[in-house]
Amino acid sequence: MATTLAQSLSGRTVAFRPTTSQPKARGGRVITRAAFTLPPLPYEKTALEPKISKDTLDIHHGKHHQTYITNLNGQIENNSSLQGKSLEEVMLASWNNGSPTPEFNNAAQSWNHEFYWESMTPTKQEVSGDLKADIESTFGSVDNFLKEFSTAGATQFGSGWAWLVVDNGKLAVVKTPNAENPITSGKKPILVMDVWEHAYYLDVQNRRPEYIKTFVSELINWEKVAERYAAAK
């Protein structure tokens, strides 16, 4: 049974409901088992080469992202309060008002990675339209935004994420550590860059600034970002 897509709070249609196995009676109770599945990449694994290699995507998507999904399913199987929820709903519920329960890291990392894959495109794009105008109004220029966004990624100590968000109707750059996601504080993400080392180590070793430069200059899917921006506003 395939997962169904549902419009998320951030405006993207990736917050899917888990599939479920056949209910099983156990001591008179009906047990529903979550079955989130790894979403396919929106492009072939070779499509981002040489900027991001197939080897990186094989491990990053096929191993790391899959592990978050697998672990989350195991956790939800033993937590009836999270069963039947969308991925975003699980993430928000397990954030638990800033006191995360064990499910949060796997739920948030699953969400963050799907958003990240969709934030990239094999074909270089330029920002345009209302989004470009808002970026120029907020940051002074597109170049200034890219510098601030790059700095957020470069200065995130250890593992984490750099985001462009809509916060109370205004654009802002934020960074989050580990699995944390701006949705938990009411912001609406429209772009993300993964700065966990596994996102780039096979390609550029520990040279995070080199990966960031490539991401901001050649990989951003501005069409998708504009779509999210329109939904968030």
Side-chain angles (χ1 to χ4, degrees):
M1 178 178 178
T3 56
T4 58
L5 300 176
Q7 190 74 19
S8 76
L9 297 177
S10 57
R12 70 190 183 109
T13 51
V14 299
F16 51 87
R17 297 278 176 179
T19 59
T20 56
S21 63
Q22 292 295 324
K24 297 181 180 181
R26 183 181 298 169
R29 295 190 300 122
V30 174
I31 305 298
T32 303
R33 301 188 185 279
F36 287 111
T37 57
L38 180 69
L41 291 169
Y43 31 73
E44 296 297 322
K45 287 185 177 179
T46 56
L48 303 182
E49 291 186 324
K51 299 174 283 290
I52 294 181
S53 67
K54 179 181 180 295
D55 287 345
T56 289
L57 291 181
D58 278 339
I59 293 174
H60 195 180
H61 175 260
K63 301 294 185 181
H64 289 281
H65 193 173
Q66 178 64 72
T67 297
Y68 299 132
I69 294 287
T70 300
N71 290 344
L72 179 62
N73 283 334
Q75 291 171 320
I76 292 177
E77 186 171 339
N78 297 311
N79 188 339
S80 61
S81 69
L82 297 177
Q83 292 171 7
K85 294 183 181 295
S86 71
L87 184 57
E88 188 166 301
E89 289 168 341
V90 172
M91 179 178 69
L92 288 170
S94 60
W95 175 243
N96 193 33
N97 296 315
S99 299
T101 63
E103 297 84 3
F104 176 76
N105 283 338
N106 288 308
Q109 284 293 77
S110 297
W111 196 103
N112 295 351
H113 277 84
E114 187 164 2
F115 202 76
Y116 170 67
W117 307 132
E118 293 182 349
S119 292
M120 295 187 290
T121 179
T123 305
K124 183 176 179 178
Q125 298 178 2
E126 301 293 337
V127 63
S128 61
D130 291 343
L131 175 58
K132 181 180 181 181
D134 200 353
I135 287 174
E136 290 174 336
S137 175
T138 302
F139 300 98
S141 69
V142 173
D143 283 345
N144 285 347
F145 157 69
L146 293 175
K147 289 176 183 176
E148 185 170 335
F149 186 77
S150 297
T151 298
T155 58
Q156 171 54 48
F157 181 76
S159 301
W161 305 82
W163 308 81
L164 176 62
V165 302
V166 175
D167 184 13
N168 292 318
K170 297 181 180 180
L171 291 175
V173 169
V174 298
K175 57 184 177 180
T176 59
N178 302 317
E180 292 186 21
N181 182 300
I183 291 178
T184 62
S185 58
K187 300 176 180 67
K188 299 177 181 179
I190 62 173
L191 171 66
V192 71
M193 176 173 61
D194 188 350
V195 292
W196 282 65
E197 202 167 64
H198 60 235
Y200 55 84
Y201 195 85
L202 288 181
D203 298 324
V204 296
Q205 287 76 54
N206 64 343
R207 301 190 299 276
R208 184 189 288 186
E210 185 176 332
Y211 157 76
I212 290 173
K213 181 179 180 180
T214 299
F215 183 94
V216 301
S217 63
E218 300 187 56
L219 290 173
I220 295 175
N221 185 342
W222 285 112
E223 291 181 5
K224 175 58 72 173
V225 178
E227 176 187 317
R228 295 165 174 167
Y229 169 78
K233 295 289 282 188

